[in-house]
Amino acid sequence: MTTISGACLCGAVRYRCTAPAVLSGNCHCRDCQRSSGSAYAPTFFVPQQALEISGEVAYYGSPGSSGRIVRRGFCPSCGSQLFGIAEAMPGLVGVRAGTLDDASQYVPHVDIFVGQAAPWDHLPENAVCFAGAPPR
């Protein structure tokens, strides 16, 4: 079994997970653009019980597109965004792909909320895209 591991920029927060990602994709919603400071947030989801986190994580909650709260976890020392916990996805934790020790472990399967994508954000031709949230 492959171990997924990563850290924030300063290394004060580390994580490890031996369960494989159950979902991965790039979110282009305005909240992810604002919170990441980029065109989209590359994120993969793992079972919450399989994720081990060391170090202090601070969380900021805001309503997502479903109207339910999304809590974004970040390192209080360096500000790196690491995790997302969405009430709409119980039992799963989103992990920002840019924090992986081995970036090759991230393979996005979908691009979501592309209807809100920035005009300068260019999607790959073969991307599986959804204008908003994907169907359940």
PDB file of all heavy atoms in Angstrom, residues 5 10 30 38 41 114 123:
ATOM      1  N   SER A   5       1.998  11.281   1.979  1.00  0.00           N
ATOM      2  CA  SER A   5       2.491  12.142   3.055  1.00  0.00           C
ATOM      3  C   SER A   5       2.799  13.523   2.502  1.00  0.00           C
ATOM      4  O   SER A   5       2.991  13.708   1.304  1.00  0.00           O
ATOM      5  CB  SER A   5       3.739  11.539   3.702  1.00  0.00           C
ATOM      6  OG  SER A   5       4.790  11.462   2.763  1.00  0.00           O
ATOM      7  N   CYS A  10       6.587  25.440   6.182  1.00  0.00           N
ATOM      8  CA  CYS A  10       7.612  25.514   7.227  1.00  0.00           C
ATOM      9  C   CYS A  10       7.879  24.169   7.890  1.00  0.00           C
ATOM     10  O   CYS A  10       8.842  24.038   8.652  1.00  0.00           O
ATOM     11  CB  CYS A  10       7.235  26.556   8.277  1.00  0.00           C
ATOM     12  SG  CYS A  10       5.860  26.102   9.365  1.00  0.00           S
ATOM     13  N   ARG A  30     -15.027  30.207  -6.896  1.00  0.00           N
ATOM     14  CA  ARG A  30     -14.462  31.479  -6.439  1.00  0.00           C
ATOM     15  C   ARG A  30     -13.859  31.360  -5.038  1.00  0.00           C
ATOM     16  O   ARG A  30     -12.837  31.974  -4.751  1.00  0.00           O
ATOM     17  CB  ARG A  30     -15.522  32.579  -6.477  1.00  0.00           C
ATOM     18  CG  ARG A  30     -15.916  33.010  -7.877  1.00  0.00           C
ATOM     19  CD  ARG A  30     -14.781  33.667  -8.658  1.00  0.00           C
ATOM     20  NE  ARG A  30     -14.389  34.917  -8.033  1.00  0.00           N
ATOM     21  CZ  ARG A  30     -13.140  35.401  -8.002  1.00  0.00           C
ATOM     22  NH1 ARG A  30     -12.155  34.743  -8.563  1.00  0.00           N
ATOM     23  NH2 ARG A  30     -12.871  36.533  -7.412  1.00  0.00           N
ATOM     24  N   SER A  38      -5.022  31.361  -6.391  1.00  0.00           N
ATOM     25  CA  SER A  38      -4.673  30.801  -7.687  1.00  0.00           C
ATOM     26  C   SER A  38      -5.931  30.558  -8.518  1.00  0.00           C
ATOM     27  O   SER A  38      -7.030  30.903  -8.113  1.00  0.00           O
ATOM     28  CB  SER A  38      -3.914  29.482  -7.475  1.00  0.00           C
ATOM     29  OG  SER A  38      -3.423  29.000  -8.695  1.00  0.00           O
ATOM     30  N   ALA A  41      -8.006  24.992  -6.955  1.00  0.00           N
ATOM     31  CA  ALA A  41      -7.412  24.269  -5.837  1.00  0.00           C
ATOM     32  C   ALA A  41      -7.332  22.789  -6.187  1.00  0.00           C
ATOM     33  O   ALA A  41      -8.360  22.115  -6.270  1.00  0.00           O
ATOM     34  CB  ALA A  41      -8.239  24.462  -4.579  1.00  0.00           C
ATOM     35  N   VAL A 114     -16.140  24.725 -13.159  1.00  0.00           N
ATOM     36  CA  VAL A 114     -15.456  25.415 -14.254  1.00  0.00           C
ATOM     37  C   VAL A 114     -16.287  26.582 -14.783  1.00  0.00           C
ATOM     38  O   VAL A 114     -15.751  27.450 -15.463  1.00  0.00           O
ATOM     39  CB  VAL A 114     -15.052  24.452 -15.398  1.00  0.00           C
ATOM     40  CG1 VAL A 114     -14.077  23.401 -14.900  1.00  0.00           C
ATOM     41  CG2 VAL A 114     -16.257  23.809 -16.036  1.00  0.00           C
ATOM     42  N   LEU A 123      -8.063  25.035 -19.261  1.00  0.00           N
ATOM     43  CA  LEU A 123      -8.252  23.632 -18.910  1.00  0.00           C
ATOM     44  C   LEU A 123      -7.663  22.732 -19.998  1.00  0.00           C
ATOM     45  O   LEU A 123      -7.731  23.073 -21.181  1.00  0.00           O
ATOM     46  CB  LEU A 123      -9.744  23.329 -18.760  1.00  0.00           C
ATOM     47  CG  LEU A 123     -10.441  24.096 -17.643  1.00  0.00           C
ATOM     48  CD1 LEU A 123     -11.948  24.034 -17.817  1.00  0.00           C
ATOM     49  CD2 LEU A 123     -10.035  23.517 -16.307  1.00  0.00           C
TER      50      LEU A 123
END
